Amino acid sequence: MITAGIDIGSVATKAVILSGHFILATEVMPSGSQPKLTAERALAKSLQTAKMERNQLEYLVSTGYGRRVVDFGDKNITEISACAQGIRFLKAPMGQIMTVIDLGGQDIKVISLDERGEVRDFVMNDKCAAGTGRFMEVIARALELRLEELGTYSKLSKKRIDINATCTVFAESEVVSLLAQDVGKEDIIAGIHRSIAERIATMGKKIGLKEVVAFTGGGAKNKGFCQILEEELGLTLHIPKIPQFVNALGAAVAAKAKK
Amino acid sequence: MKTDFEKRYQRAPLHRPAEKVSARVRAASEDLAARLHKQPDRLVSLPYYEELFTTEKRKKELQILNRKVVGTYCYFAPEELIYASGDVPIRLCSGHSDTITTAEELLPRDICPLVKSSFGFPILGDGWIDACDVIALPTSCDAKTKLGEYLADYLPVWMINLPKIKNYDGLKEYWLKEIKLFLHKLEELNGKKVKAPELKNALQLLKRRAELYRAMYELRLAHPLLLSHQDLLMVVQSSFYDDLPRWINQTELLYNEMKKASATGKYAAKGKRLMITGAPIIWPNFKILNIITELGSTVVADDMCAGHQRLWDYAEPDEWTLEGMLEAVAARYIFPSVCPCFTTSYDRIDKILHLAREAKVDGVIYHDLRLCQIFDMEKDLVVKVLKENQIPVITLHTDYGQEDVEQLRTRIEAFLEMIL
Ligand code: SF4
Ligand code: SF4
């Protein structure tokens, strides 16, 4: 049975084509201002990679903020349940995953799972974007770096800098003043990473960080950040090979139920 | 009016009439009314209440009748005494987001939207406050306490010194005196004393209101969609403005229609049964309720001071002396209240558990209004106890703006998926 999942996030749109237990294709592109069109394009491209026709797809589920704009899908689910189903499909060598931390473009979620892998509870940041992918973008821009470079720089940090601001706008001005004091970019980035990690840790403690803890979403691609988050939480995180696609995958898994 | 002592430091009232803002305020009410209008199988008695939000008829009537209007805030301004004096209470707590920017010209940005929204109206010279002669403002939370200082630029403000600790001794020693002082101020305003039979009449009227509401509420528990929660809050909140005897008559008609309609069996709850607790949800800020409806679930209960709590309680009119009745009134505002401005949240937790069980809810939504510290600080224990009682709960931290509707939808939808 061939199914597809599309995750229309605030920053990126992801598509996954699934055939039973096999992932046939993944595709990611910026969501842009026309999420519906982007979703169609992401689906078309992933079908191309999978060498499939649209009519071979038996069921399509959308998720993410733009889930409701997809009118060519069969169903939509929230990214919370998509994330849970995606991680359940991927599994971890360290044992059963009981908690998922998801760092997306616009929000941070900590999802607590039960023994069956179903959502037991979850917390999300409120509408403030501090600590999310968008926030990292703003910081990268202030430092004149590309988003992908943040992790590499962060690992080079030698000196601990504490960033106090928890608001995107204030953090940006704090970064600017640190630069004016000639503080190294790598130390600033590590400081920013630590402040986000602390925030996630607080959210995690609220619902309990039962191990194994998985880390997913675009944020998990940043290796420097993963390291700091592990230090902050005092545990080893399971980071799936395709952290960014877990929600889209979860949608494709949900599609297998065809209802 | 201000005493000479108070007049030493003055600020001229800020006036910023803005037709654009006023038009947006009207549009917000009209949009919500139109939306409620479209609900399937809606009862025909309901449009009556919409008019109190979408037209100025009642305001005009108040001007023509030439009765004294006491603008009130919160749960605690004693309606019994206002009615007994022959005056009209109008509750000024507002849910409009469009007046917030207006208020921010004077008020700090970091206070709760309810207070900012309400304060936008005197600056605009619009809304119900226009019809008021005085304002009765309880010192409930910090924001309300300080709001009095700003409102005093526009109208005489009677602060009501509300105790923060609930206890019987304090009630007699102190809060009863405060209630008497309030009565005295009313008597001064009207130039006549309130007599025992007048107060008794007022108590009886408010008891009728409570009994009617209770009957309606109980009927609705069995057939929740007789009134969507939006409609229920509309009915409750229209009583903030309407002429009380007329409201009671109308609501009797509504109740009779509900009874008839319940026989059709069409009005069972859809989807999950939910309860809302937390900061007041006031017309037209019904965004959370609208999302829940769109997601196919039903709110069946709430414990809010602008909802269930407002009409449920009353002071028993079985006392004969003025003193006895005043005591009943004093007690009625302290003990049944679950407002978090009191020091402990235990009563509130009991009440939430009771309401949640009675309404057989599948989950509770905690409405945490941004910058309202007291609800935020009570949240932790409330959430903990609910979870211990196997009642799923989700916190929504939001304000009056519309920009987070999609985020809220995701949270609520995920919550509904979770409590499958
Ligand atoms: S919750 Fe309490 S303080 Fe807030 S508006 Fe209601 S009665 Fe007033
Ligand atoms: S109790 Fe909260 S919501 Fe009500 S006025 Fe005070 S700060 Fe605002």
Side-chain angles (χ1 to χ4, degrees), chain A residues 12 40 49 81 83 106 109 112 161 174 211 217 219 229:
Chain A
E40 275 171 26
T49 317
S81 25
C83 186
Q106 190 168 278
K109 315 179 208 28
S112 161
I161 296 283
E174 200 169 340
E211 291 185 75
L229 183 59

Side-chain angles (χ1 to χ4, degrees), chain A residues 66-167:
Chain A
R67 65 188 177 280
R68 299 191 315 144
V69 304
V70 176
D71 51 8
F72 49 88
D74 299 295
K75 191 194 160 175
N76 67 67
I77 59 174
T78 66
E79 48 271 42
I80 317 281
S81 25
C83 186
Q85 302 196 46
I87 209 73
R88 196 162 62 198
F89 179 90
L90 286 172
K91 302 198 174 60
M94 301 134 93
Q96 191 176 357
I97 294 164
M98 300 304 286
T99 311
V100 189
I101 298 170
D102 183 83
L103 182 51
Q106 190 168 278
D107 47 38
I108 307 172
K109 315 179 208 28
V110 183
I111 306 167
S112 161
L113 303 173
D114 64 16
E115 280 69 27
R116 294 162 304 154
E118 308 273 0
V119 178
R120 195 185 62 85
D121 205 352
F122 65 93
V123 279
M124 274 168 100
N125 61 315
D126 55 57
K127 69 183 181 192
C128 151
T132 64
R134 275 256 185 276
F135 175 81
M136 301 261 212
E137 270 177 21
V138 170
I139 299 300
R141 201 165 352 107
L143 294 170
E144 295 181 314
L145 293 173
R146 279 180 297 120
L147 193 58
E148 302 78 48
E149 293 176 303
L150 291 181
T152 329
Y153 269 87
S154 167
K155 284 189 178 172
L156 298 174
S157 165
K158 298 252 155 21
K159 201 166 139 237
R160 188 186 169 106
I161 296 283
D162 287 309
I163 307 272
N164 305 313
T166 47
C167 154

Side-chain angles (χ1 to χ4, degrees), chain B residues 35 40 64 84 119-120 134 143 209 213 251 370 399:
Chain B
R35 185 187 180 111
I64 293 166
F119 189 62
V134 293
R209 182 181 77 177
Y213 174 76
T251 308
R370 237 165 79 76
D399 56 21

Side-chain angles (χ1 to χ4, degrees), chain B residues 150-167:
Chain B
Y150 287 85
L151 288 170
D153 297 345
Y154 300 85
L155 283 170
V157 175
W158 301 344
M159 294 305 292
I160 303 174
N161 200 350
L162 184 76
K164 301 276 183 205
I165 303 173
K166 288 186 182 181
N167 72 30

